[in-house]
Amino acid sequence: MTDPRTPASTPATPDADWWRDAVVYQVYPRSFADSDADGLGDVAGITSRVPYLAGLGVDAIWLSPFFPSPLADGGYDVADYRDVDPRLGTLDDFDALVRAAHAHDIRVIVDVVPNHTSSGHAWFEAALAAAPGSPERARYVFRDGTGDAGELPPSDWVSNFGGSAWTRVPDGQWYLHLFAPEQPDLDWSNPAVRADFEDTLRFWSDRGVDGFRVDVAHGLAKDLSTPYRPSNEHDLPLDGSDPLYDRDEVHEIFAAWRHVLDEYDPPRAAVAEAWAPAPRRVLYARPTELGQAFNFDLLESPFDASAFRQVIERNLAMSEQSGASSTWVLSNHDVVRHATRYALPAGTDTDAWLMTDGVSPTPDRDRGLRRARAASLLQFALPGSSYVYQGEELGLHEAAGIPRDLLQDPKWVRSGHTVKGRDGCRVPIPWTESGPSFGFGDVAPFLPQPADFGACSVSAEDGDPTSTLSLYRAALAARRRLQSGESLTWLEAPAGVVAFARHDGWHSVTNFGTDPVPLPAGHVEVASGPLSDGVLPGETTVWLS
Ligand code: GLC
């Protein structure tokens, strides 16, 4: 047994199980806080807001990619896995952020993107300069084309962002990219790729990082044997037989990662972003692998009592199977914000709605926010870890009216301008009621903010006891105080109401309907909206003790 590696910085209270019930705040670095007036959020900006995050009551921050990147996909196209993008700061700035977070007992989770590099990564540049069949090309998936002169792609696989998943290079070969052409897929059957990534995990762990979010974790292993078989990422089989996603071989990679993560004391945590069928997500979450896997089921549910209850039951059962705790998410940088989703009629196609610049159907914004507050308060009562996406604590709505010429998401171009994409949830967040970017920085931000953002700013909501910010602060403080154990007991409730007890001293009751129901007895700890005498109004959650 070798001694555990000693990182540069450690949190104030050591605890190997911190991730099991952590509230994790997702920071999208370019849109969080701009400290140097270039319109782009940066690492020093995040550090300056650590006291705000501590006051909010989160246990960890997850940083979406801040690495050097040509930004073909908002930073999920990484040109160097072991550095900070110069526009966002330096490694020293990063170390200062980790120290500041740890001083407030906030853990730091870094996003690793192992499925693909940027086309600006030194490896890909070397691959392009090298000949077909070379070791440089063998880190990626280069293949000859089909057709008489190789002019057709090797297979009919499609990219997640639209169009073929293959792009041709000048010497005639094609390379695979499950996302944008600027995101060439790595070949994970190549030991050189594996070894290098393990060193990247050590690099950040040595700097004091407490955990990793693993991007597209279900995509790393591919069946590249010919004839190529069709892939259907929207309806993956339960037996791991799709050629591109959720294959059994991927688990060998994560078992090896677990050995690296366990070189540290406490072991580094990891959570898989694996859009695999629910029963197979438990595989990624095993303690011998990443330890946790995202459960996106609440995010995909309508605001409906039986849908929520089913999702909760299924995921708690899966946690029992894997030994991991669950991970609850309502919003992130890839989806329309939940206050806005809930403001639209059930079943609305949000891509189509965004194409109308958010006007048809007309969102009922008050209702959306009321429901979002109720859903978030329910989420925080659930056993397991809870994710908060920056700005949801302010009750932000999707910025649906970004002018088309300013859109940045590769989906916009790759879809032939038929899908606007994810920029509307990535607009810089408002800190103050006025100013050129509502306190995000001193100049206009890289994506325009809606005029009404000021009313949802931190300074506008700060002293207002009815604000969403005050609700989140109260909820997270109460959660800390009340939380114990990892189980829940369902309580009897009228139709349209979801009620459960975490233990005798903590009940959560959500009325998903619109008519009031009787308010159960107990001391009100937190409520997502105003309560009237003896009744729980519609679309409201209350915690009772
Ligand atoms: C993940 C990220 C998303 C990104 C994609 C490709 O799904 O969450 O933002 O575009 O991976 O890296």
Side-chain angles (χ1 to χ4, degrees), residues 142-157 164-169 171-176 228:
F142 278 87
R143 294 292 185 272
D144 293 330
T146 54
D148 289 344
E151 75 284 8
L152 297 174
S155 75
D156 60 3
W157 292 335
S164 172
W166 297 94
T167 289
R168 201 172 194 198
V169 300
D171 61 34
Q173 276 208 309
W174 298 74
Y175 67 88
L176 180 68
Y228 299 105

Side-chain angles (χ1 to χ4, degrees), residues 85 128 281 284-285 356 374 421 483:
D85 190 302
L128 288 185
R281 285 203 302 259
Y284 300 80
T356 72
Q483 179 133 269

Side-chain angles (χ1 to χ4, degrees), residues 233-290:
E233 64 140 340
H234 297 296
D235 190 14
L236 291 174
L238 286 171
D239 62 359
S241 61
D242 186 89
L244 296 180
Y245 297 99
D246 190 35
R247 299 188 56 74
D248 292 336
E249 303 90 273
V250 85
H251 298 293
E252 293 159 25
I253 300 169
F254 297 133
W257 283 26
R258 178 41 61 194
H259 285 292
V260 176
L261 301 172
D262 284 353
E263 287 168 11
Y264 294 84
D265 180 21
R268 281 11 189 174
V271 55
E273 187 218 19
W275 295 85
R280 287 182 63 89
R281 285 203 302 259
V282 296
L283 303 175
Y284 300 80
R286 289 179 289 198
T288 48
E289 292 193 25
L290 295 175

Side-chain angles (χ1 to χ4, degrees), residues 26 28 62 64-65 73-77 111-116 160-161 178-180 183 213-218 273 275 296 332-334 409-411 422 426:
Q26 181 188 357
Y28 194 74
W62 147 30
S64 275
D73 181 21
Y76 283 90
D77 48 321
D111 210 319
V112 280
V113 187
N115 181 66
H116 43 264
N160 272 277
F161 294 154
L178 296 185
F179 293 88
Q183 294 168 294
R213 179 254 187 197
V214 184
D215 191 65
V216 198
H218 60 316
E273 187 218 19
W275 295 85
F296 294 117
N332 64 28
H333 66 296
D334 288 331
D409 191 332
K411 282 190 179 181
R422 302 159 293 176
R426 300 174 177 183

